[in-house]
Amino acid sequence: QVQLVESGGGLVQAGGSLRLSCTASGSFFSINTMGWYRQAPGKQRDLVATIITGGITNYVDPVKGRFTISRDNGKNTVYLQMNSLKPEDTAVYYCYTVSFGSIGQRTSWGPGTQVTVSS
């Protein structure tokens, strides 16, 4: 019921910045949670940051102080501003949403966008 499209990934040097965007479309009443996971080669998919309806945000320790998550509810879009990037941030970043529709709660995933940080 929810389709997610990500953009903003790319190749940057260590210390640089990127801004990821993810826009949701489809059939739903509301989106409670929007956020980002990332997965490096050979590793599991790990949570990066989340933002809920009221604007409360959560970050995992490795990105605190460097990444900022925000959302525009009118556009059904979530952003991830990534500053002071490190090589260990290299991963495929996946947008996700927890939405509510006529069939209940649903978790949706975007196709992923590659972020590569060179040293």
Side-chain angles (χ1 to χ4, degrees):
Q1 288 189 329
V2 180
Q3 295 78 48
L4 302 176
V5 179
E6 301 133 331
S7 64
L11 173 64
V12 297
Q13 300 91 339
S17 298
L18 286 173
R19 191 187 196 201
L20 306 183
S21 299
C22 173
T23 298
S25 62
S27 178
F28 49 83
F29 296 149
S30 63
I31 298 176
N32 176 254
T33 302
M34 307 186 80
W36 297 89
Y37 278 69
R38 66 185 181 184
Q39 186 171 25
K43 295 185 177 295
Q44 67 180 21
R45 188 176 298 185
D46 293 324
L47 179 69
V48 177
T50 62
I51 182 167
I52 63 175
T53 301
I56 299 173
T57 58
N58 286 288
Y59 303 89
V60 295
D61 287 340
V63 308
K64 287 181 179 177
R66 300 188 297 119
F67 292 8
T68 302
I69 189 170
S70 61
R71 65 190 287 178
D72 185 333
N73 291 328
K75 298 180 179 179
N76 295 128
T77 298
V78 62
Y79 306 94
L80 187 67
Q81 179 66 47
M82 309 165 65
N83 298 327
S84 301
L85 283 163
K86 304 175 180 179
E88 50 263 46
D89 296 318
T90 295
V92 177
Y93 284 69
Y94 297 91
C95 174
Y96 82 97
T97 62
V98 180
S99 61
F100 295 86
S102 61
I103 62 172
Q105 181 176 308
R106 181 182 180 92
T107 299
S108 302
W109 294 90
T113 184
Q114 177 71 48
V115 172
T116 302
V117 184
S118 61
S119 59

